[in-house]
Amino acid sequence: MTNRVTVIGSLNVDTILEIPRLPKPGETLAMHNQSFAGGGKGSNQGIAAGRAGADTHFIGKIGDDTNGQFMINSMKDSGINVDQVTVTKDAKTGQAFILLDDEGQNSILVYGGANQKLNVDDVKNAEATIANSDFIITQFETPMDVAEAAFKTAKANDVVTILNPAPARQAIPASLLAVSDLVVPNETESQTLTGIEITDEASMVKAANKMHDMGAKCVIITVGSKGAFYHTVSGDTGFVDAFKVKAVDTTAAGDTFIGALSSQLNKDMSNLTDAIRFANRASSITVQRMGAHPSIPTLAEIEAAEAAAK
């Protein structure tokens, strides 16, 4: 059965600047290359869900500009329903500027633009879309009150909520976490949220328990090339190792994980470890390619990689 996934979040056009290393303060550094791609944490997660087989809808906002149309086309090309993506004349389409070094690590500067114009009325207009979903995903590149309104609508309709607390913020309303079924931070975001440094599995358990105390039902902490740790409020816990590959660009790896996870996860999370393994496989493909949208794999590619490993 195909999962129905709704993503509410950001749409950005990424400018990727390939550099040997990050420049020091006051330093001028030559670039290897410059390229453009669709991105934004929200749209990355939506495309990852859609390409991995989910029936995916997107709620977001773009500017009245060519970048906005570029993003609409990019989403449609991956089979994403964009009926709930609206246009504002008050801001330009979101953008991100990605500094990518020779080791495949990145630093990202984000212009929120139209993403910050998304509002609670947009959620109300999309109530039927949310109510008809199995899962809804959001992040923090759009306003917090919008995320909470969407999750409350979801919970009123038995829709499973997935919160990616990124970019990291310390002040997250308890009312939002209380309606978050699954919280998926990376280790940095987990530390920002809980104040607990992630150094080993014991610290992950401690951080997860603190998130449970805040209201989260299930926690997955992604740890880059190591894999993903999971912990449920009932005490189920474990670590699913990542697949060993050579990364050339880690952009969208975490977003691919979340989108791919939502495409496979059962609503009761009874197949949590299998869904995490699938998401790890999808992310391992993403990091071997350049860009955000261009790097996100299809279901056929994920299944082929899994078959080749056996």
Side-chain angles (χ1 to χ4, degrees), residues 178-237:
V179 288
S180 298
D181 293 313
L182 175 57
V183 179
V184 191
N186 63 23
E187 51 197 320
T188 303
E189 292 149 3
S190 175
Q191 181 175 342
T192 300
L193 182 57
T194 64
I196 298 167
E197 184 180 1
I198 301 301
T199 55
D200 54 18
E201 196 157 324
S203 61
M204 292 182 203
V205 171
K206 190 175 178 182
N209 281 326
K210 187 160 185 178
M211 283 184 255
H212 292 321
D213 291 342
M214 294 173 173
K217 316 298 185 299
C218 180
V219 175
I220 298 175
I221 301 173
T222 57
V223 200
S225 60
K226 296 177 184 175
F229 166 84
Y230 66 91
H231 196 285
T232 69
V233 73
S234 60
D236 292 335
T237 189

Side-chain angles (χ1 to χ4, degrees), residues 84-133:
Q84 299 297 331
V85 176
T86 55
V87 178
T88 178
K89 294 184 180 295
D90 297 331
K92 295 178 180 178
T93 298
Q95 294 186 68
F97 300 88
I98 300 168
L99 304 178
L100 177 65
D101 71 18
D102 285 347
E103 301 302 314
Q105 296 300 311
N106 60 52
S107 296
I108 304 174
L109 305 172
V110 176
Y111 162 70
N115 297 312
Q116 295 304 313
K117 300 297 181 181
L118 196 65
N119 57 61
V120 173
D121 284 341
D122 295 310
V123 174
K124 291 177 181 176
N125 292 335
E127 279 185 3
T129 298
I130 296 170
N132 194 42
S133 303

